[in-house]
Amino acid sequence: MLPTELLQEGEHLMTVCNACRYCEGYCAVWQTMESRLVFVESDLNYLANLCHNCGECFYSCQYSPPHEFNINPPKTLAKIRLYTYGLYAWPGPLAKAFCKNGLLVSLLAAAVLIAFLLAASLALGSRLWEPVRGGDFYQIIPHSVMALTFSVVGSFSALALLIGFLRFWRDSGESYSTLANPVALFRAAKDVLSLKNLDNDGAGCSYPREKSSEALRWFHHATFYGFLSCLVATTLGAIYYYVFGWHGPPGFLSLPVIFGTVGGIGLVIGPIGLFVLLRRRNREIVDENQSGMDLAFIVLLLLISISGLLLLLLRQSAAMGTLLVVHLGFVMTLFLTMPYGKFVHGIYRSGALLKWALERSRQSENKAKA
Ligand code: SF4
Ligand code: SF4
């Protein structure tokens, strides 16, 4: 259950906004709100995950503080969104620990994983501090250690994310069968990939607006596509190794290295940009309780990208072994903390956009029938 005070704040927001409707063209939140007359907790949870915290509605609002109505959609929805991260997370207690001390928990997890990889590799006879002929990663970290840690961490993370998503879907009032709607899936994928609504230009707004909104969108893009590019690079690397049996390091112009380099650069530019914007944001629309979670995600992405790019540059040197262990430790920490950190914003927002696409399809069908 949402804490009573937050529930009342959300209901107050919806009551005032649904009567006003000035912001109806701004984003999916407002169009969704207008199709409802009453707002139960699950509606607020859904709307909170539709919001992208661009801040535009706040600057347009004649009832924002210091007005006595105290209307602040980005902040109220951010607070509800944070609550939903804990509500949907599995196992729940891990989410609470991460929410309170995101950066500390991430760094501790990274230290443990790096220590484990070091110890296991040394125990199996790896010569971590010697240059490796051919740059074969498995001469440094034995195949068994790599496969075991990645399969355990990866499976746990995938399961926790799946459970979280299914909990969100059930809470939003949808049955699982509606997940298989190809039209809605296509619409939602388009909205997710284009970061819909984060490009809000404040059209029609005569009030001072969040000037960083467009920059926020591009830094999100750099982070998102950088992450995807790194995933493609890793997949291609595995295909080269296991399918084609090419055990040497891929050349600088090979596909895994090109995707990895582009992704790594994106994951340096994006998180740094997001960090700068986060620091400069108007504190009035920020939920400070999320700052630790935001910072942990940004720091982890930077540690991964910087260690990955260094690994590429120094792969023929004696530093390669240490860099590889450190890089993989950070990557595994990201996977381990994904279900409890800022990453879930992408998962639940995608789910909310899918539900929004379904609702639009149903509205069109009803209109056609009428
Ligand atoms: S945020 Fe303010 S201006 Fe926008 S719909 Fe709500 S009350 Fe109206
Ligand atoms: S902050 Fe932006 S995304 Fe959130 S409700 Fe307002 S306009 Fe929509």
Side-chain angles (χ1 to χ4, degrees):
M1 278 277 294
L2 267 173
T4 311
E5 208 176 303
L6 189 51
L7 182 63
Q8 285 169 348
E9 188 179 327
E11 286 170 344
H12 170 66
L13 175 74
M14 289 298 128
T15 306
V16 175
C17 290
N18 216 4
C20 167
R21 299 192 172 188
Y22 179 80
C23 296
E24 65 181 356
Y26 274 5
C27 75
V29 169
W30 307 108
Q31 291 148 32
T32 307
M33 178 196 74
E34 288 179 13
S35 65
R36 287 162 169 76
L37 292 174
V38 286
F39 297 88
V40 293
E41 184 176 328
S42 57
D43 293 317
L44 294 174
N45 294 344
Y46 162 46
L47 289 167
N49 280 293
L50 258 188
C51 171
H52 216 328
N53 205 253
C54 72
E56 299 295 349
C57 53
F58 177 81
Y59 295 105
S60 306
C61 186
Q62 58 272 43
Y63 303 122
S64 57
H67 192 283
E68 60 182 317
F69 283 1
N70 198 26
I71 294 298
N72 189 339
K75 190 164 183 175
T76 300
L77 294 176
K79 288 196 276 185
I80 297 174
R81 203 161 48 243
L82 182 63
Y83 157 79
T84 67
Y85 295 166
L87 178 71
Y88 304 140
W90 176 87
L94 284 184
K96 282 194 189 119
F98 193 83
C99 180
K100 278 190 184 152
N101 306 294
L103 186 57
L104 185 66
V105 171
S106 299
L107 293 178
L108 279 176
V112 170
L113 284 164
I114 289 169
F116 169 76
L117 284 173
L118 270 177
S121 304
L122 290 172
L124 290 173
S126 293
R127 296 153 105 176
L128 279 169
W129 294 282
E130 290 178 15
V132 178
R133 202 155 28 92
D136 182 357
F137 287 176
Y138 294 123
Q139 286 184 43
I140 298 168
I141 301 181
H143 190 275
S144 53
V145 176
M146 198 97 98
L148 178 75
T149 39
F150 264 103
S151 53
V152 170
V153 171
S155 311
F156 173 77
S157 176
L159 180 67
L161 286 172
L162 178 67
I163 291 175
F165 178 81
L166 294 177
R167 283 178 171 176
F168 161 81
W169 198 247
R170 197 178 49 198
D171 183 48
S172 77
E174 294 289 343
S175 68
Y176 296 136
S177 61
T178 56
L179 282 167
N181 183 315
V183 177
L185 280 170
F186 177 74
R187 270 185 169 180
K190 224 172 92 188
D191 292 345
V192 170
L193 294 176
S194 62
L195 287 179
K196 190 171 177 69
N197 301 139
L198 201 57
D199 58 343
N200 207 328
D201 62 0
C205 164
S206 55
Y207 292 82
R209 54 187 289 267
E210 185 75 16
K211 290 195 172 53
S212 55
S213 176
E214 188 63 17
L216 194 62
R217 180 183 180 223
W218 286 109
F219 287 128
H220 264 90
H221 268 316
T223 307
F224 178 70
Y225 285 105
F227 183 78
L228 277 191
S229 190
C230 288
L231 274 187
V232 171
T234 309
T235 309
L236 286 172
I239 292 173
Y240 276 28
Y241 192 92
Y242 293 108
V243 179
F244 300 125
W246 298 338
H247 292 183
F252 280 104
L253 293 178
S254 66
L255 286 176
V257 173
I258 291 172
F259 274 101
T261 308
V262 171
I265 292 170
L267 279 182
V268 171
I269 294 172
I272 288 179
L274 290 176
F275 177 73
V276 172
L277 291 181
L278 209 65
R279 302 279 302 177
R280 286 171 43 186
R281 284 209 100 181
N282 178 355
R283 304 325 289 175
E284 264 194 287
I285 62 170
V286 170
D287 174 21
E288 298 294 353
N289 288 328
Q290 289 195 29
S291 302
M293 186 184 268
D294 289 343
L295 187 64
F297 191 54
I298 286 171
V299 168
L300 211 44
L301 288 177
L302 276 174
L303 289 172
I304 289 171
S305 54
I306 291 169
S307 60
L309 290 170
L310 280 175
L311 186 59
L312 178 67
L313 289 175
L314 302 174
R315 63 184 180 172
Q316 300 293 357
S317 75
M320 180 195 173
T322 313
L323 276 172
L324 179 62
V325 167
V326 168
H327 177 65
L328 291 179
F330 289 142
V331 172
M332 279 192 269
T333 304
L334 178 71
F335 279 105
L336 203 59
T337 56
M338 265 178 180
Y340 315 105
K342 191 68 186 184
F343 185 84
V344 291
H345 169 56
I347 302 287
Y348 302 144
R349 178 165 159 78
S350 303
L353 285 170
L354 179 57
K355 182 174 164 64
W356 184 49
L358 280 169
E359 289 188 349
R360 277 181 294 163
S361 297
R362 288 178 193 137
Q363 281 164 6
S364 307
E365 281 167 22
N366 289 342
K367 267 188 198 158
K369 278 184 202 157

